[in-house]
Amino acid sequence: MTGDDLRSRRIAVVADTSLQGGALILRLEAEGWGLLQLPPQDLPQPAFDAALGLVLDQIEDYARHGYSIGLFLPPEVPTLTLALQEGLRSRGIAADIM
Amino acid sequence: MTGRRRRIALLSHCLANQNAKVADYALCPGAVSPLLDLLRAEGFLIQQMPCPEMTFLGVSRWWQVREQYDTPGYHYHCRRVARSVADILEHHLREGCDDLVLIGVDGSPSSGVGVTDHGPDWGGRPEDRPVTHVPGKGVWIGVLEQVLAERGLPRPRMIGVGLELAGFEMVTELRRLTTFLKAGDDDGR
């Protein structure tokens, strides 16, 4: 326990492949974003929906508490992006792709 | 880094996102980058697991000890989360895996691997109460182990990073983690 609250209150939602490294993820880490990894976009149903639902649960709670939510999704994951955007819309959460 | 060997790391959520920690327990603003850097350098595919505490009680939860999480309702929730982790792991394992590890958080009531916390007097109005650390697994890690076994999935080699333990030093923990990771690398040679 540190005695101070060091949390950045900024959540970067990233594709599963992005967490493995690269310029984007290194920049986000350096800027103090917390990373929230999405499930693989080729995960079969219904496993994909279950995993995405858990991610959305977290985003919803962070959003309710005023945390900044950033979606950092590469163009290579269109299915994932659409599913995430639909999930956010259905929960009334505003978040833009950055 | 081995290059050809496929290695998978199941990562406790907060190691990539300290915003999921209870207030005052965060080590840094966001990701624990030295640890992620080490996993990448060792060639691991990183799979972040959801934090069951966060998905159960949210980001504004109070500090709690293991005894408070050791309830049927929390076990049920952990099983739901563990089934999702098992789904994703099963998906990754279709391409093979030579070394499967789980990185937990020692001292945590949920994610402790070798050490968890203990506070039998906790409860009631939130306030600072005596808490000790004891050998044992956190509730989440215990449930996850059960679910992986029930699904017939391999048991990961496990280590807990002592972020929540007194005297934590990043350099020391990274050295310990490096030894652990390299042991799996050597096994296949």
Side-chain angles (χ1 to χ4, degrees), chain B residues 75-87:
Chain B
H75 276 255
Y76 181 81
H77 174 69
C78 285
R79 288 190 70 82
R80 182 170 78 93
V81 177
R83 281 195 293 271
S84 182
V85 171
D87 288 340

Side-chain angles (χ1 to χ4, degrees), chain A residues 30-89:
Chain A
E31 292 176 355
W33 291 81
L35 307 176
L36 185 49
Q37 185 185 30
L38 289 161
Q41 72 170 355
D42 58 345
L43 187 67
Q45 296 285 3
F48 178 85
D49 282 348
L52 182 63
L54 286 167
V55 171
L56 289 166
D57 287 348
Q58 295 168 75
I59 295 174
E60 182 174 343
D61 192 61
Y62 283 125
R64 281 183 184 177
H65 288 88
Y67 283 56
S68 299
I69 309 292
L71 312 181
F72 295 88
L73 298 170
E76 295 78 28
V77 290
T79 308
L80 188 59
T81 302
L82 282 174
L84 176 64
Q85 288 178 316
E86 176 53 34
L88 291 171
R89 243 191 320 272

